[in-house]
Amino acid sequence: GRFVKTHDEL
Amino acid sequence: MTLFRLAGDLSHVLAILLLLYKIWTTKSAAGISGKTQLMFCMVYVTRYLDLFTSFISVYNSTMKVLFISASVATVYLIYFKFKATYDGNHDTFRMEFVIVPALILALIWNYAFTFFEISWAFSIFLEAVAILPQLFMVTKTGEAENITSHYLFALGSYRALYILNWIDRYYFEGHWDPIAVTAGIVQTVLYGDFFYLYFTRVIKGRKLQVLP
């Protein structure tokens, strides 16, 4: 994916 | 989701709604920094570009839409609908002083050199310092209305609660987001002086006034 990690916070 | 984060998010929502409520009911943007609100708007737009590409939960998507729309509405009220009441003469902080460094830092420190990740990192760094024009304005005019103080308190509490959430997640999930944590600590520290004045004055029923 494009993200290294998922940004799961706001 | 940790309870700290839920409390932080609710505090964030409360802050945004308090500000909209104040401007709407008094039909005035007096004492509010349009520059801070403009930068928060940039923060939400650049961070939530992933709204349509990465689905986390209904909660996350709802909050993202809420933050973007409430922020756009706030900027609209300040710069258009109640423009005559906006105290631009006291809103003198130079936005480029924080936008440019945040952009440079995002180009250097990010999780991947892609448009989405640089935009995300920029958003995190800009959020940390976006309150400066507002704090500068309070210092310059020497006081803040009570509802503005409550707004700042709720907004400052949000990132402080996130720090507790990050400690919790580090211990129980091994989750560690150095960019968000570093920026979040800077953001919370910037509210330090204000928190002190809030507790010593506003809570005791006095107006928040900065001593000369």
Side-chain angles (χ1 to χ4, degrees):
Chain A
R2 243 197 300 251
F3 294 92
V4 166
K5 57 203 270 304
T6 309
H7 300 301
D8 62 352
E9 289 174 344
L10 292 165
Chain B
M1 181 161 73
T2 69
L3 270 177
F4 296 121
R5 193 193 132 188
L6 180 64
D9 286 346
L10 293 179
S11 182
H12 195 178
V13 171
L14 176 71
I16 290 172
L17 296 182
L18 260 180
L19 183 63
L20 271 175
Y21 171 83
K22 175 209 146 72
I23 299 174
W24 188 255
T25 54
T26 61
K27 302 198 181 309
S28 165
I32 301 301
S33 165
K35 290 178 177 177
T36 282
Q37 297 309 317
L38 209 53
M39 288 199 283
F40 275 133
C41 197
M42 289 174 70
V43 163
Y44 299 128
V45 171
T46 53
R47 186 173 313 164
Y48 302 148
L49 288 176
D50 66 350
L51 195 53
F52 301 104
T53 59
S54 112
F55 179 77
I56 307 290
S57 66
V58 172
Y59 172 84
N60 255 50
S61 301
T62 308
M63 290 298 226
K64 286 173 178 175
V65 172
L66 176 69
F67 289 151
I68 294 173
S69 41
S71 176
V72 169
T74 305
V75 167
Y76 166 75
L77 292 183
I78 297 171
Y79 284 102
F80 295 93
K81 196 164 174 64
F82 302 126
K83 187 181 170 61
T85 63
Y86 164 54
D87 203 1
N89 288 341
H90 286 127
D91 197 8
T92 50
F93 191 92
R94 300 273 295 267
M95 287 192 285
E96 57 270 36
F97 287 174
V98 283
I99 293 175
V100 173
L103 186 59
I104 292 171
L105 189 56
L107 288 167
I108 298 166
W109 193 18
N110 50 61
Y111 292 137
F113 203 80
T114 62
F115 176 73
F116 274 73
E117 281 299 319
I118 291 167
S119 178
W120 180 86
F122 166 73
S123 154
I124 294 287
F125 296 136
L126 184 61
E127 183 190 345
V129 289
I131 199 62
L132 285 174
Q134 181 65 63
L135 295 178
F136 192 64
M137 201 172 172
V138 171
T139 309
K140 226 182 158 189
T141 57
E143 60 177 42
E145 285 176 44
N146 276 348
I147 194 148
T148 305
S149 301
H150 298 323
Y151 159 72
L152 284 169
F153 181 72
L155 196 62
S157 306
Y158 135 70
R159 234 26 179 181
L161 286 162
Y162 255 78
I163 293 175
L164 299 177
N165 158 66
W166 291 324
I167 294 170
D168 185 305
R169 290 193 74 180
Y170 178 76
Y171 278 107
F172 295 105
E173 296 170 38
H175 175 94
W176 160 235
D177 186 335
I179 292 179
V181 171
T182 308
I185 291 171
V186 170
Q187 188 169 342
T188 304
V189 167
L190 288 181
Y191 286 84
D193 264 3
F194 168 77
F195 281 147
Y196 173 76
L197 289 169
Y198 186 80
F199 283 119
T200 55
R201 287 172 181 267
V202 182
I203 289 293
K204 289 179 182 158
R206 284 145 71 190
K207 204 172 181 178
L208 189 136
Q209 285 181 316
V210 182
L211 295 172

